[in-house]
Amino acid sequence: QVQLVESGGGLVQAGGSLRLSCAASGRTSRSYAMGWFRQAPGEEREFVAAITRNGYSTYYADSVKGRFTISRDGTKNTIYLQMNSLKPEDTAVYYCNADDSMFTVRSGKGGSWGQGIQVTVSS
């Protein structure tokens, strides 16, 4: 199991940008599939984006396609979420997750999770 720590959240105006980071520690001798989820108040946690172990493939929710970009630092277990053209509906706590299985990462059912970081977009 790995420990994940998110950083880079905050308050931004609509149309602005933020970059989230997630760094893994612990069992990091191998790379993991990693991803981002978010949870708005009163809503269920939802998938945002994911990236394969080698960084060659990425996946996005329809709601963020063309605005958000997930990337990783080579095969290291540090990932980023560049969020552009932010909207008030992007306001949520953003969580990073990691697992050996991309299926597990994208489903959000299992794996390791960070504590989450707040992103607030004002109108």
Side-chain angles (χ1 to χ4, degrees), residues 1-113:
Q1 194 167 0
V2 293
Q3 292 76 49
L4 303 173
V5 177
E6 302 96 339
S7 60
L11 173 65
V12 64
Q13 288 190 330
S17 298
L18 279 176
R19 189 193 194 209
L20 303 183
S21 300
C22 173
S25 61
R27 289 189 171 184
T28 57
S29 59
R30 65 182 189 275
S31 63
Y32 296 90
M34 299 180 73
W36 292 95
F37 276 69
R38 66 187 182 186
Q39 187 168 21
E43 302 285 337
E44 292 188 355
R45 190 178 298 188
E46 65 174 1
F47 170 76
V48 175
I51 190 166
T52 53
R53 298 184 188 194
N54 55 17
Y56 288 172
S57 296
T58 56
Y59 305 89
Y60 296 94
D62 288 344
S63 58
V64 306
K65 277 181 183 176
R67 300 188 299 121
F68 290 12
T69 302
I70 188 171
S71 61
R72 70 187 302 150
D73 185 2
T75 56
K76 295 180 182 179
N77 293 306
T78 297
I79 63 169
Y80 308 95
L81 187 68
Q82 178 66 45
M83 304 185 293
N84 299 328
S85 302
L86 282 161
K87 306 174 181 180
E89 50 264 44
D90 294 318
T91 296
V93 176
Y94 283 70
Y95 297 88
C96 171
N97 71 336
D99 195 77
D100 290 326
S101 164
M102 174 56 77
F103 177 82
T104 298
V105 168
R106 293 182 66 181
S107 72
K109 298 177 181 179
S112 300
W113 289 83

